[in-house]
Amino acid sequence: MAEQFQSAVESSVDKTNLILKDIEQAYGWPKERRNQSYAALRTVLHLLRDRMPVQESVEFSAQLPMLVRGIYFDGWQPQDVPIKLDRDDFLYEVRQGFPYDVEGGPLRVVQVVLDTLRRHITQGEWDDVKDNMPGDLAQVMP
């Protein structure tokens, strides 16, 4: 039993590192900028989570690696969701949660993180996530 747990944790860490590495590669960042890739992932995940209805948020999270799922749910207040955010509000909140200056600004951060997440989520679930976003925000989603 302990070996299964260790294997599951190691697998989750590997998958999480792969997601962070994908973000870094999209920007051309070295691994030493892992704090930035983590901040980008966390910020966008939290905004997606808070924009979706509770049931859809839970369904989406089921496809995330265990460690990323923990990041996703950290600080969640399900009684307060979904919050209404259009594209401009979403980008504003990304800028507040991601304090680094990067090429392309908040829009690029969102696109990089969403492109990365899309590769780790089934098409059906991704379509459900997009369907829960306002049209102007869904347009920036892959």
Side-chain angles (χ1 to χ4, degrees), residues 37-47 71-72 74-75 113:
S37 57
Y38 168 76
L41 177 64
R42 183 178 192 280
T43 299
V44 173
L45 278 174
H46 283 188
L47 289 167
I71 296 165
Y72 182 76
D74 183 43
V113 172

Side-chain angles (χ1 to χ4, degrees), residues 28-127:
W29 294 341
K31 186 177 179 180
E32 292 74 31
R33 292 179 75 176
R34 180 63 43 104
N35 284 340
Q36 284 183 244
S37 57
Y38 168 76
L41 177 64
R42 183 178 192 280
T43 299
V44 173
L45 278 174
H46 283 188
L47 289 167
L48 277 179
R49 172 200 74 193
D50 291 346
R51 181 61 187 89
M52 288 189 278
V54 171
Q55 185 63 36
E56 185 54 42
S57 189
V58 170
E59 291 171 10
F60 170 72
S61 74
Q63 294 194 15
L64 299 172
M66 182 176 25
L67 183 56
V68 176
R69 195 174 318 128
I71 296 165
Y72 182 76
F73 283 120
D74 183 43
W76 191 38
Q77 300 293 319
Q79 70 276 7
D80 296 337
V81 300
I83 59 173
K84 301 296 180 195
L85 293 172
D86 63 15
R87 179 182 176 272
D88 291 339
D89 295 334
F90 196 94
L91 295 175
Y92 173 81
E93 293 298 330
V94 168
R95 184 66 184 128
Q96 298 309 302
F98 183 77
Y100 303 97
D101 288 324
V102 295
E103 183 179 329
L107 179 59
R108 179 77 175 129
V109 171
V110 170
Q111 290 171 327
V112 165
V113 172
L114 294 180
D115 285 344
T116 298
L117 290 172
R118 172 60 201 99
R119 291 191 295 273
H120 298 273
I121 303 297
T122 65
Q123 184 63 50
E125 185 56 41
W126 194 254
D127 290 342

Side-chain angles (χ1 to χ4, degrees), residues 8-22:
V9 169
E10 288 173 359
S11 175
S12 181
V13 168
D14 290 344
K15 290 175 184 177
T16 301
N17 280 326
L18 179 61
I19 290 169
L20 294 171
K21 184 178 178 183
D22 286 351

